[in-house]
Amino acid sequence: MKRATQMIHGGPTVDQQTGALGVPIYQISTYRQTSMEHFGKYDYARGDNPTREAAEEVVATLEGGSRCLAFASGMAAISTTLMIFSPGDHLVVCDDVYGGAYRVLTSIFSRMGVSSTFVDATDLSAIEAAIRPETKGLYLETPSNPLLKVTDLKGAAAIAKRHGIITLVDNTFMTPYLQRPLELGCDIVLHSGTKFLNGHSDVICGFAVTNDKELGQRIRYVQNAFGTGLGPQDSFLTLRGIKTLKVRMDQSQENTRIIVERLKNHPRVTAVHYPGLPEHPGYAIHKAQADGPGAVFSFEVDSLETTKRLLENSHLAAFAVSLGGVESIISYPAKMSHASVPREERERKGITDTLIRLSVGLEDPDDLYADLEQAMQ
Ligand SMILES: *Cc1c(COP(=O)(O)O)cnc(C)c1O
């Protein structure tokens, strides 16, 4: 099955009892048991819920994984998965990792004895140099947020494998439609399903996918123990969103191409970061490992004044956090996704006060560009 078909038929699509074209919302917390000795597959919904399972199955199919777990948020997926590590373990992490992941690693996991070293993961030798005897995980994001830096996933996973390290990849920006890290040798794929997978800015959810049975069981153990699984209503909405992932992604990506081309030539725009541009340093690697550059990019403008005007005066693109919705979202990484990263650290990474991120939705690109243009005037 090709991807577009998998989005619709890659999980259970029919309710066995009624033939309904979809898995119902099992808004139930517990299940009646019939045997004193053997409980059924379902006993309590913290552990198992059929609607959640349907969402898990379709994402597992899309990523080419054998096991997927759905979580109450992307951060729940990330944090729960990170619980497979133990005190004394060390992680190598890409230096422009999502702000929320940076926060849990540096303020919570560090306290639990799991330490992290942040490296420029676009440089494979920097990854290898940061590996210590106690390193157990390599945590990557490509293209990264908000500078769209590209990491060679196959190369990174090969290094990790050589050292017996688990590779985790946050694949939120790409979705499995455009990039499948498990096929490139990585071990665990993480998602904020809140973004493109659901795609309608109306659900918070997350996923962890693996093709390693034992890793899948370890993550599942923590999910059930912590109670971080996704609720049935949100599972249903996410399933519905995934059905249109291909058409949404194709159109948003095409709109992005048009807007990027135009913004590049705007006098107030000083730089555009987008892996679809041949001049992007990660262009070739990205092209080799993904099926498209996606629908998120960032750009720098000439002054703080222009930054403010753009953020406050764009009418179509909503000034908001998040991305991947049918509506365009313009955001300010310095004060939003990366607000929890200390200023000095942030500037060192190139996340300046004049950097703007745009997630391009399904509006007509002419309208969207005209609106950005008027906002900058
Ligand atoms: C939004 C996001 C997350 C966190 O997901 P939530 O659903 O907000 O918890 C993690 N990684 C990336 C790349 C994101 O964009």
Side-chain angles (χ1 to χ4, degrees):
M1 264 196 271
K2 299 218 169 153
R3 310 253 161 244
T5 315
Q6 287 176 339
M7 287 167 200
I8 295 162
H9 298 280
T13 46
V14 179
D15 173 37
Q16 294 307 319
Q17 207 153 21
T18 61
L21 269 193
V23 177
I25 302 169
Y26 281 85
Q27 193 75 48
I28 289 298
S29 64
T30 192
Y31 308 86
R32 180 190 286 259
Q33 304 303 315
T34 52
S35 149
M36 192 180 88
E37 287 86 19
H38 306 289
F39 288 178
K41 168 171 162 40
Y42 297 103
D43 63 357
Y44 188 55
R46 169 154 38 76
D48 296 284
N49 176 288
T51 323
R52 183 196 301 155
E53 277 167 13
E56 292 173 339
E57 202 172 318
V58 71
V59 175
T61 304
L62 288 170
E63 285 287 2
S66 57
R67 186 82 191 253
C68 173
L69 296 149
F71 294 90
S73 69
M75 282 316 305
I78 292 167
S79 310
T80 301
T81 300
L82 288 172
M83 289 304 294
I84 63 172
F85 297 108
S86 302
D89 289 354
H90 170 254
L91 309 177
V92 175
V93 183
C94 64
D95 63 4
D96 48 359
V97 66
Y98 177 72
Y102 180 87
R103 177 168 54 194
V104 296
L105 286 167
T106 56
S107 71
I108 300 175
F109 283 93
S110 55
R111 194 156 47 74
M112 320 283 280
V114 177
S115 61
S116 305
T117 300
F118 296 89
V119 301
D120 175 3
T122 61
D123 176 6
L124 292 183
S125 64
I127 292 178
E128 186 137 37
I131 293 173
R132 306 177 193 161
E134 66 273 24
T135 305
K136 295 285 167 58
L138 171 61
Y139 188 105
L140 302 170
E141 233 175 273
T142 178
S144 68
N145 180 28
L147 291 169
L148 288 299
K149 291 189 337 192
V150 172
T151 294
D152 172 357
L153 287 179
K154 215 181 229 175
I159 292 171
K161 203 138 277 168
R162 224 179 320 116
H163 292 268
I165 295 170
I166 294 167
T167 306
L168 306 94
V169 181
D170 182 333
N171 202 28
T172 300
F173 274 36
M174 287 285 99
T175 79
Y177 176 50
L178 296 178
Q179 180 171 273
R180 289 163 302 281
L182 299 179
E183 290 175 1
L184 301 168
C186 303
D187 303 293
I188 298 172
V189 175
L190 300 162
H191 279 286
S192 169
T194 310
K195 315 296 168 54
F196 290 103
L197 283 175
N198 173 65
H200 293 74
S201 307
D202 53 10
V203 165
I204 298 280
C205 72
F207 294 94
V209 196
T210 180
N211 46 24
D212 181 308
K213 201 168 165 221
E214 198 250 325
L215 276 179
Q217 270 161 3
R218 277 160 70 192
I219 301 168
R220 149 79 200 189
Y221 184 85
V222 186
Q223 181 202 44
N224 180 49
F226 278 21
T228 49
L230 187 62
Q233 178 90 29
D234 291 342
S235 299
F236 180 88
L237 285 170
T238 304
L239 271 168
R240 187 172 72 167
I242 290 172
K243 290 177 189 176
T244 57
L245 176 62
K246 178 191 185 293
V247 286
R248 285 186 288 107
M249 208 41 144
D250 283 347
Q251 190 60 53
S252 281
Q253 195 168 242
E254 171 59 10
N255 294 354
T256 307
R257 187 186 65 74
I258 293 166
I259 288 165
V260 161
E261 280 305 321
R262 294 183 190 172
L263 272 184
K264 241 175 52 174
N265 297 314
H266 193 286
R268 293 204 181 279
V269 175
T270 54
V272 178
H273 309 288
Y274 184 54
L277 292 171
E279 61 266 33
H280 186 285
Y283 177 79
I285 293 170
H286 185 77
K287 201 166 176 178
Q289 71 189 8
D291 295 331
V296 179
F297 70 99
S298 62
F299 58 106
E300 283 162 57
V301 293
D302 59 358
S303 66
L304 205 54
E305 180 68 34
T306 308
T307 311
K308 186 173 160 67
R309 264 192 248 138
L310 248 177
L311 296 174
E312 292 181 355
N313 299 336
S314 28
H315 305 302
L316 290 180
F319 177 32
V321 296
S322 199
L323 57 105
V326 295
E327 54 288 284
S328 295
I329 294 178
I330 191 164
S331 57
Y332 191 38
K335 290 240 163 79
M336 291 176 156
S337 59
H338 288 66
S340 53
V341 181
R343 189 197 172 94
E344 240 170 61
E345 180 86 4
R346 194 160 44 68
E347 301 249 316
R348 196 179 55 73
K349 289 173 179 169
I351 305 164
T352 63
D353 288 342
T354 50
L355 182 78
I356 288 169
R357 190 186 74 193
L358 189 65
S359 166
V360 182
L362 300 178
E363 302 92 344
D364 189 285
D366 291 339
D367 289 340
L368 196 55
Y369 184 73
D371 186 46
L372 293 171
E373 216 177 14
Q374 70 73 28
M376 279 193 276
Q377 291 315 316

